[in-house]
Amino acid sequence: MSNGKSNDNDWIPLSYSDWQFPAKVLTELLYPVAIEKVRFLGNGGGLSGARIWQVTGQRGSFCLREWPQPHPDSDKLREIHRCQIWARKKGLEFVPAVVIIGSGEMAHLAAKDPPTFVMAEGQYWELTEWLPGVANYWESPSQERLKASAKALANLHLVWRELTRSPSSLAVPAKVQGDQVPAIADRCAKLRNLNVQAVVEMQEKLERFNEMPWYMPAKEILRQIDGLKPTLYSALAYWHKYTFPCQYVLRDVWHDHVLFSGDHCTGLIDYGSLRVDTVATDLVRMLGSLTKSNPDSDWDIAVEAYQEVAELEEVELAILRDLYESSVVLSGIQWIQWLAVEGKTFPGKNEFVNHRIAELSAASQLVAARRRSFGGSFGVP
């Protein structure tokens, strides 16, 4: 979801007797906070399939979300909300507060974990606080804003260190072996699956789209695979012998999920991809997105700002480069898989898709050049 400027013409008065929302959503989520008008935001800028509304009334503004099926299931949604509630209890106001169903009260003010979502017409629905700020870093990039976002992320990670996978216990997370770190294991598996046959299939399917603006950038990404796959796989496999602290992380903390008011980071939103992993994967995702997959000295400034709040272990610093560079290549492959192999379309997002693949193509060429010249790594002394 990306907070944007309101247009008065977008708002529609809410009628509790005749409206598109299911009755359960009206009575258990919207009525308790006295919602008077709504505006539909589509999927809020994301690709998850969730539908988003901004709703407002006597008790303020909120975000109404209809989660897509089959993700998340009820257990996962409870886990997501528990992490948000814990962060708000620890005083992190840039985390959206979750509303208790039926009461309209904020869940972090409750003594116990309360019910925070409803099932209506086969979908899960939630209501969360509408945070101030706008996702506009690309319009107004600066070192101060980058540092502010890094510190916000560090604060979130710091309070989540106390949470484990168990929904009923609190403890300091244990370290895990590198080959069991999801971010490492997932990337290695995807690179292994990127065999000659898979690449040839993508190349053949891609030719059907030779008139699309993203065709040439996508073709360039595939051209880099032969040279990059072995070196990226080897780099990631190297970390199997090391241990990493793992905890809850966001994983999808990209540009449209980082809100700013001036130079202040006022929101980290959308917790749907949350899982236990290394915090390095969040840093790579956020910094790569904010800088449009074009890292420079600002990365070191951001990492330094992060460590003013939450110190990174040596292995977390050292793996940043390998996680980032493998993410660039695998993200490009994922887009080609969606568009050329699966034939997915993203209505209303043509410009975003074109720009994203062009960015990943340029970034993959930079990765290839750095790998050939054995360039340095981010955050490593």
Side-chain angles (χ1 to χ4, degrees), residues 6-188:
S6 249
N7 184 328
D8 288 341
N9 295 328
D10 295 336
W11 292 97
I12 301 173
L14 176 63
S15 168
Y16 286 89
S17 60
D18 180 22
W19 186 247
Q20 60 178 304
F21 297 122
K24 203 169 187 179
V25 173
L26 289 169
T27 58
E28 298 193 29
L29 290 178
L30 302 183
Y31 181 76
V33 291
I35 296 303
E36 298 171 342
K37 57 183 181 178
V38 305
R39 64 177 183 133
F40 182 52
L41 302 178
N43 56 15
L47 302 173
S48 69
R51 295 202 298 164
I52 305 292
W53 291 261
Q54 184 181 5
V55 299
T56 188
Q58 299 174 21
R59 297 179 62 178
S61 287
F62 301 87
C63 174
L64 176 67
R65 178 189 298 263
E66 178 191 25
W67 287 94
Q69 290 295 330
H71 173 80
D73 61 22
S74 59
D75 288 341
K76 186 63 179 181
L77 193 47
R78 288 189 190 95
E79 185 180 32
I80 291 169
H81 285 175
R82 176 171 170 265
C83 287
Q84 289 182 251
I85 292 167
W86 178 260
R88 283 305 295 256
K89 283 184 175 180
K90 293 294 183 176
L92 301 188
E93 295 186 357
F94 56 80
V95 175
V98 185
V99 176
I100 303 172
I101 64 172
S103 73
E105 300 301 322
M106 299 298 182
H108 65 280
L109 301 177
K112 297 181 179 180
D113 289 346
T116 51
F117 58 90
V118 300
M119 167 65 82
E121 298 181 359
Q123 305 289 113
Y124 290 116
W125 298 72
E126 70 175 20
L127 192 67
T128 58
E129 176 187 21
W130 186 268
L131 294 178
V134 182
N136 64 351
Y137 184 87
W138 291 340
E139 298 173 21
S140 304
S142 73
Q143 290 184 356
E144 288 305 311
R145 294 177 122 211
L146 198 63
K147 289 191 289 185
S149 62
K151 288 183 177 181
L153 184 63
N155 275 299
L156 183 59
H157 286 163
L158 197 61
V159 302
W160 276 353
R161 283 182 184 177
E162 303 171 57
L163 293 174
T164 65
R165 299 170 192 256
S166 169
S168 59
S169 65
L170 294 175
V172 177
K175 289 187 176 182
V176 299
Q177 201 68 20
D179 59 355
Q180 298 174 349
V181 175
I184 300 174
D186 288 354
R187 286 166 171 79
C188 284

Side-chain angles (χ1 to χ4, degrees), residues 191-237:
L191 286 168
R192 282 195 300 269
N193 291 334
L194 203 56
N195 54 39
V196 173
Q197 181 180 349
V199 174
V200 168
E201 179 187 0
M202 282 189 282
Q203 288 171 334
E204 292 174 348
K205 297 284 180 69
L206 183 60
E207 290 305 315
R208 299 178 301 168
F209 300 90
N210 58 8
E211 295 183 359
M212 299 300 292
W214 46 263
Y215 166 76
M216 287 304 297
K219 191 170 183 177
E220 181 61 34
I221 291 171
L222 290 178
R223 194 179 72 83
Q224 302 291 338
I225 296 303
D226 282 348
L228 281 174
K229 176 187 170 179
T231 182
L232 289 175
Y233 185 85
S234 176
L236 289 169

Side-chain angles (χ1 to χ4, degrees), residues 231-298:
T231 182
L232 289 175
Y233 185 85
S234 176
L236 289 169
Y238 169 82
W239 297 105
H240 286 178
K241 61 185 177 181
Y242 292 92
T243 56
F244 290 78
C246 282
Q247 61 168 80
Y248 282 113
V249 297
L250 288 166
R251 293 180 61 236
D252 196 24
V253 54
W254 71 293
H255 174 275
D256 281 18
H257 295 164
V258 186
L259 308 182
F260 293 93
S261 292
D263 288 337
H264 301 286
C265 180
T266 54
L268 295 179
I269 59 177
D270 200 330
Y271 292 65
S273 297
L274 174 145
R275 77 175 178 193
V276 173
D277 209 327
T278 168
V279 298
T281 193
D282 271 0
L283 269 168
V284 165
R285 178 68 169 121
M286 184 178 75
L287 297 182
S289 177
L290 293 181
T291 63
K292 293 191 175 182
S293 298
N294 185 29
D296 51 29
S297 60
D298 285 350

